[in-house]
Amino acid sequence: MSARPLLRISDAANGLLAAAGLIVVAALTAPNFGPGARLALEGVLVGIWGVYALQLTDTLVALRTKDGPAPMSEFTIDLLAVVVPLAGFLLAGPQDQSLYCGIWLLKPLRHSTFFRLLGRVVSRAAPNLVGVTSLFGIVLFGASLIAYLIERDVQPDKFGSIPQAMWWAVVTLSTTGYGDEIPQTLAGRVLAGLVMMSGIGIFALWAGILATGFFEEVRRQDFVRNWQLVAAVPLFQKLGSAAFVEIVRSLRPRVVPAGAVICRKGEVGDQMFFIVEGRVSIATPSPTPVELGPGSFFGEMALISGEPRSATVSAATEVSLLSLYSEDFQMLSSSNPEIAEIIRKTAEARRGQAPKG
Ligand code: CMP
């Protein structure tokens, strides 16, 4: 049996180990630990380093055998996590040796999808972010220059040069306001007010650009996932590309656990469902409930007729669904009468099976 699974550390364990290591690194900078406690803390660091050395072995094997996902970024992080503390141990003085374990800050990034998402957002929004950063630089330098001109005679110790005034400008522009440098003249105070307001605007722009970037990226990912789900429903394979894109945008994915009720008899129905995976059970009046599986749809009767739901539908297994709301169904009907006709005919056939009265 291969020893590799024993060397594998889950992402959660990786994060916990890194957090424990970094807490120890921080603790070792505090002067109030005796030699015994310091030795114990350093022992913890050595233990974590040992685990990371094993992890590096696993990553190296994966790289060589192409077995499992071990991209270069993962290998680089694993390598740095072992080599940098080792270099610290060999090269730094005893007081600073443990600081090199600070490299373990990178460990939680190994598999993080969030940081990959952040990277994509920042690279897509780069031109706008650079624009706002330039604006920040322009306002910063302009404010420093004007503050220098206004305040240099009154407070030469604080505004005696543009770099000195720049510290005031950064603190004011970011609305941090340490209060160590305060304009004394009226003109200086008016300038401070303007700089503060510009700062709020610039930070709002940064936040807005990033928030929009995140929203668009998540929507893009949803679109790709929905695309795959919609492609799995045979009914939609007839659609032309434009109609397919339209339907991908309209359908909303949903996963229902086994046993949960999806819609109840007598309820108002404003949506119908397509089954991507799993099975649903329909409580019809017939002695045995009807079961539907992947590719089938249900909930169309109430949607078309406007009448209450004709039966209770529940998930027989965990089921992956795509729901289509009535306004989107109208859109589908007008752009793709052929599909709408199939759905209508199925509804009629099912209605025909229901007992009259
Ligand atoms: P609706 O009435 O909106 O909600 C319950 C759904 O169960 C219904 O639409 C149909 O999609 C489905 N349904 C009802 N009766 C049958 C049947 N006999 N066979 C298959 N599906 C049914």
Side-chain angles (χ1 to χ4, degrees):
M1 197 188 85
S2 158
R4 288 202 49 218
L6 297 176
L7 302 180
R8 278 203 187 127
I9 307 169
S10 70
D11 287 344
N14 241 315
L16 280 177
L17 274 180
L22 294 170
I23 289 170
V24 171
V25 169
L28 280 168
T29 60
N32 37 355
F33 285 106
R38 296 190 81 79
L39 198 66
L41 289 174
E42 280 162 5
V44 173
L45 290 185
V46 171
I48 296 173
W49 184 88
V51 175
Y52 283 159
L54 288 177
Q55 189 172 42
L56 175 63
T57 319
D58 177 58
T59 312
L60 271 173
V61 174
L63 264 189
R64 283 176 65 88
T65 59
K66 303 259 181 293
D67 166 22
M72 276 317 277
S73 57
E74 199 174 294
F75 167 70
T76 312
I77 291 175
D78 289 351
L79 184 70
L80 289 175
V82 172
V83 170
V84 173
L86 188 66
F89 177 74
L90 297 174
L91 305 175
Q95 204 200 336
D96 289 341
Q97 276 172 348
S98 64
L99 294 183
Y100 285 73
C101 296
I103 194 74
W104 294 343
L105 267 175
L106 297 181
K107 271 287 179 180
L109 308 188
R110 278 177 103 241
H111 284 150
S112 169
T113 47
F114 171 75
F115 287 99
R116 240 173 279 153
L117 174 68
L118 180 66
R120 276 200 299 275
V121 169
V122 170
S123 73
R124 286 215 165 94
N128 292 335
L129 289 174
V130 168
V132 179
T133 309
S134 312
L135 180 65
F136 181 86
I138 291 166
V139 175
L140 178 73
F141 197 89
S144 310
L145 186 103
I146 300 171
Y148 163 71
L149 290 174
I150 298 174
E151 294 284 326
R152 64 181 165 182
D153 296 333
V154 188
Q155 304 184 70
D157 54 326
K158 292 181 175 149
F159 290 86
S161 68
I162 289 183
Q164 266 181 311
M166 236 174 216
W167 170 245
W168 164 82
V170 169
V171 169
T172 311
L173 199 51
S174 62
T175 64
T176 308
Y178 288 132
D180 55 342
E181 292 180 0
I182 304 167
Q184 299 297 327
T185 61
L186 178 65
R189 291 189 173 189
V190 171
L191 174 70
L194 292 174
V195 172
M196 282 174 218
M197 292 204 282
S198 314
I200 294 170
I202 289 171
F203 283 101
L205 276 176
W206 259 321
I209 291 169
L210 286 176
T212 312
F214 269 107
F215 173 73
E216 278 172 0
E217 192 56 39
V218 169
R219 217 177 50 170
R220 204 170 286 125
Q221 284 179 358
D222 281 352
F223 184 81
V224 172
R225 196 190 49 192
N226 276 8
W227 184 285
Q228 286 157 351
L229 293 176
V230 174
V233 178
L235 191 63
F236 298 131
Q237 285 161 6
K238 298 180 169 64
L239 290 173
S241 52
F244 193 83
V245 169
E246 220 174 330
I247 200 85
V248 169
R249 289 221 174 92
S250 327
L251 289 165
R252 287 159 218 196
R254 184 175 152 194
V255 176
V256 183
V261 171
I262 300 163
C263 59
R264 263 177 225 286
K265 182 173 179 173
E267 276 177 357
V268 177
D270 63 344
Q271 57 185 310
M272 65 174 293
F273 307 89
F274 298 88
I275 305 173
V276 179
E277 250 175 41
R279 302 191 70 77
V280 300
S281 166
I282 300 170
T284 59
S286 62
T288 46
V290 174
E291 277 213 0
L292 298 178
S296 315
F297 55 85
F298 61 92
E300 77 296 344
M301 286 165 68
L303 194 75
I304 291 170
S305 65
E307 287 170 10
R309 296 277 187 213
S310 60
T312 295
V313 184
S314 42
T317 62
E318 183 183 81
V319 62
S320 163
L321 299 172
L322 290 166
S323 43
L324 182 71
Y325 282 82
S326 70
E327 54 280 13
D328 296 319
F329 178 74
Q330 304 308 335
M331 181 263 313
L332 179 73
S333 304
S334 51
S335 62
N336 259 282
E338 200 189 325
I339 288 184
E341 195 49 32
I342 295 173
I343 295 175
R344 278 205 183 87
K345 285 216 168 105
T346 310
E348 269 162 34
R350 286 174 178 170
R351 188 165 294 115
Q353 288 167 24
K356 305 279 176 296

